[in-house]
Amino acid sequence: MKEIVLLTRDNSLYRDFFIDAGCAVVESDASSSPAGDDTDGPAERVVVLEIADDSLDTAVEAVRRMRERGARVVCVASADTARVRGFLLGEGVADLLPAAQPRRLVESVMAMDEYVDDERGGFVVLDDRRERVRIMRSVAGRF
């Protein structure tokens, strides 16, 4: 079962949509991370983190902490600003979706792990910045 960790300003907006999709939901607020030190959490843990220009300092800590726990990070934002894009690139986060669109968010998160049993090719990233490699690996891994 996929576990969704909601770190948004309004978790209730997204909660029921993820539950209806068959996910387990853990909630917190956007300024913190969920309680506990579960480093061996579910293989399918996805953190939905709401970001904005005024919350990026806290978001950096949350992204790093949740990645250490093996989670995939998906961000939602009301505005796609230069600071938000800089944060995504700096932290190696490939996924930014519009806030307040729960159906679209759930569809996107669920589609990220759909596996097609066809032969897959290779992908080479010639970059020494781990953030860029993380982004490319995240995107290429879906194909």
Side-chain angles (χ1 to χ4, degrees), residues 42-61:
E44 298 182 89
R45 178 181 284 166
V46 178
V47 176
V48 176
L49 175 65
E50 186 168 353
I51 58 175
D53 285 347
D54 64 349
S55 67
L56 295 178
D57 293 334
T58 306
V60 167
E61 295 171 24

Side-chain angles (χ1 to χ4, degrees), residues 30-85:
S31 64
S32 65
S33 65
D37 293 322
D38 178 20
T39 55
D40 296 322
E44 298 182 89
R45 178 181 284 166
V46 178
V47 176
V48 176
L49 175 65
E50 186 168 353
I51 58 175
D53 285 347
D54 64 349
S55 67
L56 295 178
D57 293 334
T58 306
V60 167
E61 295 171 24
V63 167
R64 291 178 184 170
R65 189 170 25 247
M66 296 312 292
R67 279 221 176 102
E68 288 174 5
R69 296 178 180 183
R72 173 184 293 177
V73 177
V74 174
C75 291
V76 295
S78 297
D80 179 15
T81 66
R83 288 194 68 215
V84 165
R85 287 189 301 274

Side-chain angles (χ1 to χ4, degrees), residues 100-133:
Q101 293 187 19
R103 281 191 180 91
R104 182 174 178 189
L105 175 63
V106 171
E107 289 172 3
S108 297
V109 167
M110 299 308 282
M112 288 177 188
D113 289 329
E114 288 181 2
Y115 183 76
V116 178
D117 201 21
D118 292 340
E119 186 175 320
R120 293 178 161 203
F123 196 89
V124 177
V125 178
L126 301 175
D127 197 323
D128 56 357
R129 285 197 56 199
R130 71 174 179 198
E131 296 83 6
R132 290 183 189 155
V133 172

